[in-house]
Amino acid sequence: MHIEAVVLAAGQGARLREATGGTPKQFLPWQGEPLYIRSARTLARCARVRGLVFVFPEADVEAEKRRLNTLQPDLGLPWRAVAGGARRQDSVRQGLAALSDQTDTVLVHDAARPFASPELINRVIDALEQGAEGVVPGIMPADTIKHVSADGSTVESTPDRDRLTAVQTPQGFSVAILREAHARAAAEAWEATDDASLLERCGRTVRVVHGERSNSKITSPEDLIRLERPMETVFVTGYGYDVHRYTEKGRGRPLRLGGIPIPGAPDVSAHSDGDVLLHALADAVLGCFAGGDIGQLFPDSDPALEGINSAILLDEVWCRATAANVRITHLDITVIAQIPPVAPHREAIRKNLSRLTGLNTSCISLKATTEEGLGFTGERKGIKVAVAASALRLSGAPAHRTILRSDV
Ligand code: MG
């Protein structure tokens, strides 16, 4: 099977115009991107989906193409964008016409359903792989549904709720069968609000898979509130590691650990002041927000950094963490060295780190170990430090994927 997905983003959003100030709902901002991109990214995460076709209002096609071309990160799979038509079914037909030649299976998805999960998409694809001609996700209606008179004023009957399902998108189809159904719809002037109903009129079988309540359509101003997701606090960990080489006394820089001079220790060779502990600590802080490493930020080749106090480097890194909405909560530091003994300086180092970071000393753990005479630390050729930093990160985007529960 070669599967592509059509993302329908061509609606004018008439019902929501007033509430959104005129913006069609698929273009409403959500976590820094227009809402339709959320659906595209979810589809792109399904490995069996090989390409996307976007259908936009004609006036928006060129601007959205430019936007899609500059997405960071990009969608990671080929896409095309075409102009839609007056009705939904016209837009679907335009989308079907733009599928690549080798595509034999298509998913048709409404961009107004931004919260479909990859699991749901995979259920639709699984049913297609098992030979279904058409597949719809369906959920049992939460409300009792009534048939009413044409003017809506009188109840005529109450269908058995167990036999009702509310259908969603993405709907999946054999391309040939869906094209044939749309051709007949055009020829015989059928009106339909979804693609599956065209297959039904052609006498085809449509399978139902479990939909998701969270995959509801954005149709009312109240639904927009769901888009205003609160910022989320996530727990993150950064890890930093650094090694400095000892040199002959007087030929390097006097050893400092955590900003504290260590008298009697060997010198270290370094471009900055050589504080291996502060370097590892800075890298751990950077690790909490994927901020790179201090080698990148403060290259050895920069003459301005010659002999620089490493506390200044840490300060810069700390500011970057704050700008990235990261609040460091705890540091666990291990110094690995045969010499010098660290214990006599432990409290002075913790107090100084508390001063530099604003963390209470109870949140700064400092441990030391030797490597039992083994390796370069054992041979007294150098010193290493490892730091684990714990932090809270305030994030608009969830750092983990939310697993959505199927409802049926
Ligand atoms: Mg270093």
Side-chain angles (χ1 to χ4, degrees), residues 242-244 276 279 294:
D242 198 21
V243 170
H244 283 187
V276 62
H279 291 185
I294 57 167

Side-chain angles (χ1 to χ4, degrees), residues 10 55-58 61 82-87 90-91 94:
V55 188
F56 295 119
E58 189 161 12
V61 175
V82 296
R87 299 168 302 171
D90 302 322
S91 295
Q94 302 300 330

Side-chain angles (χ1 to χ4, degrees), residues 138-153:
I139 57 170
M140 183 190 283
D143 303 315
T144 299
I145 309 286
K146 307 271 188 197
H147 274 298
V148 292
S149 57
D151 67 355
S153 67

Side-chain angles (χ1 to χ4, degrees), residues 229-265:
R229 294 203 354 172
M231 298 283 268
E232 199 173 9
T233 302
V234 293
F235 175 78
V236 291
T237 305
Y239 177 73
Y241 175 80
D242 198 21
V243 170
H244 283 187
R245 180 196 296 272
Y246 288 149
T247 59
E248 248 173 75
K249 202 77 196 152
R251 304 198 59 171
R253 305 199 186 273
L255 181 68
R256 299 167 74 93
L257 285 176
I260 300 296
I262 311 293

Side-chain angles (χ1 to χ4, degrees), residues 71-396:
L71 277 189
Q72 288 298 337
D74 67 17
L75 293 172
L77 79 183
W79 57 266
R80 287 170 297 285
V82 296
R87 299 168 302 171
R88 183 186 184 281
Q89 67 197 74
D90 302 322
S91 295
V92 174
R93 226 174 33 247
Q94 302 300 330
L96 291 178
L99 293 172
S100 72
D101 291 341
Q102 69 268 41
T103 301
D104 53 19
T105 307
V106 64
L107 305 177
V108 180
H109 186 55
D110 289 320
R113 294 186 189 272
F115 302 114
S117 73
E119 291 82 355
L120 170 63
I121 296 162
N122 283 321
R123 277 199 294 280
V124 174
I125 294 174
D126 289 344
L128 290 164
E129 283 188 342
Q130 290 155 17
E133 298 176 326
V135 182
V136 295
I139 57 170
M140 183 190 283
D143 303 315
T144 299
I145 309 286
K146 307 271 188 197
H147 274 298
V148 292
S149 57
D151 67 355
S153 67
T154 317
V155 171
E156 292 185 340
S157 64
T158 305
D160 179 1
R161 204 168 65 161
D162 292 342
R163 298 281 311 271
L164 292 175
T165 191
V167 304
Q168 310 181 325
T169 68
Q171 300 187 351
F173 304 96
S174 141
V175 170
I177 290 172
L178 186 59
R179 280 199 175 126
E180 174 200 304
H182 272 276
R184 275 191 69 185
E188 300 175 31
W190 297 345
E191 294 279 342
T193 52
D194 78 336
D195 297 283
S197 46
L198 299 180
L199 260 73
E200 295 152 35
R201 288 185 73 162
C202 292
R204 300 287 186 175
T205 303
V206 177
R207 267 192 57 188
V208 183
V209 298
H210 291 179
E212 293 168 337
R213 295 228 179 266
S214 47
N215 180 33
S216 62
K217 206 169 184 173
I218 308 289
T219 49
S220 69
E222 299 82 69
D223 294 335
L224 297 177
I225 294 163
R226 287 202 305 144
L227 302 182
E228 292 161 13
R229 294 203 354 172
M231 298 283 268
E232 199 173 9
T233 302
V234 293
F235 175 78
V236 291
T237 305
Y239 177 73
Y241 175 80
D242 198 21
V243 170
H244 283 187
R245 180 196 296 272
Y246 288 149
T247 59
E248 248 173 75
K249 202 77 196 152
R251 304 198 59 171
R253 305 199 186 273
L255 181 68
R256 299 167 74 93
L257 285 176
I260 300 296
I262 311 293
D267 284 4
V268 291
S269 68
H271 182 65
S272 69
D273 69 358
D275 195 322
V276 62
L277 191 154
L278 291 186
H279 291 185
L281 171 52
D283 267 350
V285 171
L286 287 167
C288 289
F289 58 103
D293 61 45
I294 57 167
Q296 275 175 286
L297 298 181
F298 313 107
D300 275 358
S301 53
D302 184 346
L305 301 176
E306 168 86 43
I308 192 170
N309 179 351
S310 293
I312 295 171
L313 310 185
L314 178 66
D315 206 30
E316 165 68 22
V317 163
W318 210 271
C319 287
R320 287 176 184 239
T322 305
N325 286 322
V326 166
R327 187 162 63 84
I328 306 293
T329 55
H330 192 90
L331 300 170
D332 188 16
I333 303 163
T334 304
V335 178
I336 302 134
Q338 198 70 32
I339 52 165
V342 175
H345 309 287
R346 186 191 315 260
E347 292 318 308
I349 293 171
R350 289 176 70 225
K351 262 176 75 178
N352 195 48
L353 292 177
S354 170
R355 176 180 71 85
L356 292 174
T357 63
L359 290 172
N360 193 290
T361 49
S362 65
C363 303
I364 300 171
S365 151
L366 179 60
K367 301 174 291 189
T369 185
T370 70
E371 292 186 297
E372 303 278 354
L374 296 169
F376 71 82
T377 66
E379 291 166 24
R380 305 172 182 219
K381 288 179 175 169
I383 178 170
K384 49 188 173 183
V385 177
V387 178
S390 307
L392 295 172
R393 184 173 189 185
L394 194 62
S395 165

